[in-house]
Amino acid sequence: MKILIIFIISTMLSTNCQAITTNLNPLILIPGAGGNQLEARLTSKYKPTSLLCNKLYPLNKDSEGWFRIWFDPSILLSPFTKCFNQRMKLYYQTQLDDYYNNPGVETRITHFGSTKSLLYLHPYLQKITAYMEPLVKALEEVGYRDGENLFGAPYDFRYGLAADGHPSHVGSKFLEDLKELIESASNSNGGKPVILVSHSLGGLYVQQLLVRNPKSWSQKYIKHFIALATPWGGTVMQMLTFASGNTLGVPLVNPLLVREEQRSSESNMWLLPSPKVFNTKSPLVVTTNVTYSAHDIPEFLKNIGFPEGVLPYTSRILPLVDNLVTSTDQVPITCVIGCGVKTPETLLYADGDFDKLPEIVYGDGDGTVNMISLLSFESNKSTYQHLKVIKIQGVSHTGILKDEIALEKIVEEISCINSDISLVSKA
C-alpha cells in the first residue's frame, strides 16, 4: 500500500512539473566545442601562407576588421580550408607554458550573457547550422526569456584548462566570466540560485568551476547542474581526430587539411581518453605492430607525428583529468545522455598509415562519446550522492539538443528543479 501511494504521488508530481512556469530560477546555457560563433581579426603581424589567405579575405568584415571565422561556409572549399586551418591554429609556447593564437590573429566571442550566438553557428544559414535553438525555444515555452532569466555563456572553445600550477589564460578567464555571470543572474533574479545546463565540453568547464570554488559559493549560487552528453573521461573519437583529422560531419572537407589545427587545440587534448576512466588494458588504437590504450597516449602522440603534444599532455592534462574523481559533491547533478548509438570504440590502422581513415569497431554511446565516459560519474556514486542519470535510447551527441523526446525530458527536469519536486520525489 505504501509503495502504491508513493508511486501515485511521484506520478502526479512528475505530470505537473511542466505546468509550473512561475517562480523560475535563472538558467545559464554553456555550449560544447564548436557550439557558438567565433569572430577573428587580422593585425599587421599576420603572415598569410598563400595569396588567397591574405588580409583581404574575407571581404565581409565590420568597420573594425572583425569577421566570422566559425562557422564560415567558405571552409568547405579546399583553398579556404587551408586559410581556416592557419587562422584557427593555436601554439603552445613551452617557455610560457600556455597556448596562444597564431601571431597576427585576434579572436573574440560575441554576445556573452545572451543565447544569441548559441542558437545558430551562422545567422544566415539557420536551417543547417541550428545548435541550441530548439532547446532555447522549448525553454521559452515554459517562461524563460533571454537576458531576463535565461543566459548564454559562449567561449573560445579551442582553449581548455590546465592542472594547478599551469597557466591557461583564456580558459581561466572564461571561468571568471562564467562565475560573474552566475552571480549577476542570481542577483538580478531576487537572489535565486542558478540552474546550469551544459552540453558536451561545456560540462567539463562547469565541473572545473565547481572544483575551483568553495562549496559555500556553489551552494549559494547554483541550484542544479544539468550536464547533457558530457565526455567526462574523453572519447576514442579524439584519437581519430589527432591521428587522421576529423571533419565533424562537414561535407567536402579533407580531414588532413584541418588535422594540424585540431591537434593544436588545447580543448581537444583535454578530450583524449582518460586512463582514470578507460580500462588501461583495452586497446583503443590498433596497428600491425603496436596497440595503444588510454595509458599509452604519450607514445600515441609521438608515433602519429605529433611529439610536441607530449609535454603539454603529460604536464597539463593528465593531472587535470584526475580531478574528475577527486572533485566534491557540491551541487545536485543530472546527467542526460544518449545511448544505443554506434560509437567508435577501437580504431584499426592495418598498415599503420595515420593519414588514412581507419576501420572502426563500434560500441555503445551517443555516436561521439563512449558509454564508459558518459557514465563515469555514475560509477562514482559514493562521491556524487546527489546524482541522477537520464538515458535516452537512440539519441546522438548533438541530437540531444534537437530530439523531441530529449527536449521534453530536459525541460521536464528543469521544471521539476524549479518547483523542488525532484527533491520531494527523492525524499
Side-chain angles (χ1 to χ4, degrees):
M1 184 66 177
K2 183 178 179 181
I3 295 176
L4 179 61
I5 292 172
I6 292 174
F7 172 76
I8 292 172
I9 292 174
S10 298
T11 303
M12 291 173 62
L13 292 174
S14 176
T15 303
N16 291 330
C17 276
Q18 290 188 336
I20 300 170
T21 57
T22 59
N23 201 34
L24 298 175
N25 287 76
L27 189 148
I28 298 176
L29 296 172
I30 305 98
N36 56 258
Q37 298 170 29
L38 189 66
E39 293 187 347
R41 179 171 66 178
L42 307 178
T43 71
S44 58
K45 295 181 179 179
Y46 176 71
K47 296 180 180 179
T49 53
S50 69
L51 189 61
L52 275 174
C53 292
N54 64 45
K55 290 178 65 177
L56 294 177
Y57 166 74
L59 298 176
N60 187 21
K61 304 183 186 73
D62 69 13
S63 59
E64 296 181 340
W66 291 99
F67 60 92
R68 183 176 297 103
I69 192 169
W70 181 260
F71 172 74
D72 175 15
S74 69
I75 68 170
L76 300 177
L77 304 175
S78 179
F80 299 115
T81 306
K82 296 177 181 178
C83 294
F84 171 81
N85 177 74
Q86 180 196 13
R87 295 173 179 182
M88 285 284 282
K89 190 165 61 173
L90 298 183
Y91 288 87
Y92 175 66
Q93 296 194 15
T94 308
Q95 291 182 333
L96 298 174
D97 186 26
D98 207 353
Y99 285 82
Y100 295 86
N101 278 354
N102 190 346
V105 180
E106 297 177 348
T107 50
R108 70 178 184 182
I109 56 96
T110 59
H111 306 297
F112 185 82
S114 169
T115 62
K116 288 181 181 178
S117 71
L118 316 181
L119 300 176
Y120 316 96
L121 301 184
H122 195 294
Y124 303 126
L125 299 171
Q126 295 183 2
K127 201 164 189 179
I128 61 174
T129 68
Y131 179 60
M132 282 193 167
E133 187 270 343
L135 175 58
V136 169
K137 186 176 179 181
L139 291 171
E140 289 174 344
E141 290 176 358
V142 296
Y144 279 100
R145 296 294 177 266
D146 186 37
E148 297 178 12
N149 54 7
L150 178 61
F151 308 89
Y155 57 97
D156 191 332
F157 44 81
R158 301 170 301 158
Y159 288 89
L161 291 169
D164 287 344
H166 297 271
S168 50
H169 70 288
V170 175
S172 296
K173 179 62 166 60
F174 171 63
L175 283 192
E176 292 172 9
D177 293 342
L178 178 57
K179 182 177 180 180
E180 290 179 7
L181 179 61
I182 290 169
E183 292 174 354
S184 173
S186 174
N187 293 335
S188 65
N189 281 271
K192 296 174 187 172
V194 174
I195 300 172
L196 299 177
V197 180
S198 68
H199 179 240
S200 194
L201 175 65
L204 297 185
Y205 266 107
V206 173
Q207 188 262 342
Q208 285 296 313
L209 179 75
L210 298 177
V211 168
R212 299 175 188 214
N213 282 281
K215 187 173 183 178
S216 57
W217 179 87
S218 299
Q219 292 181 334
K220 177 180 179 180
Y221 286 106
I222 302 175
K223 185 175 181 66
H224 206 104
F225 171 25
I226 300 178
L228 310 178
T230 302
W232 302 113
T235 76
V236 174
M237 183 77 83
Q238 280 305 108
M239 298 187 81
L240 172 63
T241 298
F242 274 83
S244 309
N246 192 339
T247 64
L248 304 174
V250 177
L252 307 179
V253 174
N254 181 346
L256 295 180
L257 293 181
V258 292
R259 181 175 64 179
E260 186 180 13
E261 177 270 323
Q262 291 174 334
R263 286 178 175 180
S264 78
S265 168
E266 184 180 15
S267 60
N268 278 346
M269 192 166 286
W270 193 4
L271 294 171
L272 285 166
S274 166
K276 285 284 186 179
V277 174
F278 284 78
N279 186 331
T280 54
K281 294 183 179 180
S282 297
L284 305 181
V285 176
V286 178
T287 70
T288 305
N289 301 317
V290 186
T291 61
Y292 303 93
S293 70
H295 188 69
D296 303 315
I297 299 293
E299 184 183 0
F300 167 75
L301 293 174
K302 190 186 304 180
N303 289 347
I304 63 172
F306 187 53
E308 59 269 35
V310 174
L311 176 61
Y313 174 77
T314 55
S315 63
R316 296 166 61 90
I317 299 300
L318 273 180
L320 177 68
V321 297
D322 282 348
N323 264 338
L324 176 66
V325 180
T326 59
S327 61
T328 56
D329 185 25
Q330 294 176 301
V331 298
I333 302 174
T334 299
C335 296
V336 185
I337 65 172
C339 60
V341 182
K342 285 172 52 180
T343 305
E345 194 165 271
T346 308
L347 311 177
L348 306 176
Y349 289 91
D351 56 2
D353 187 352
F354 294 112
D355 288 346
K356 299 177 182 177
L357 292 178
E359 292 183 41
I360 299 176
V361 177
Y362 292 94
D364 195 7
D366 66 8
T368 299
V369 185
N370 308 89
M371 190 57 61
I372 193 172
S373 181
L374 291 167
L375 293 178
S376 56
F377 262 30
E378 189 177 48
S379 64
N380 287 280
K381 278 188 174 179
S382 58
T383 304
Y384 305 101
Q385 297 175 10
H386 302 291
L387 173 68
K388 178 179 180 181
V389 177
I390 299 174
K391 300 176 185 177
I392 308 175
Q393 186 70 25
V395 172
S396 70
H397 190 68
T398 53
I400 204 165
L401 299 172
K402 304 170 185 178
D403 180 84
E404 288 186 13
I405 294 176
L407 291 175
E408 183 181 331
K409 293 282 188 183
I410 294 166
V411 173
E412 180 182 10
E413 183 70 7
I414 291 169
S415 298
C416 289
I417 292 165
N418 275 314
S419 60
D420 284 329
I421 285 178
S422 58
L423 298 178
V424 175
S425 298
K426 280 186 179 181

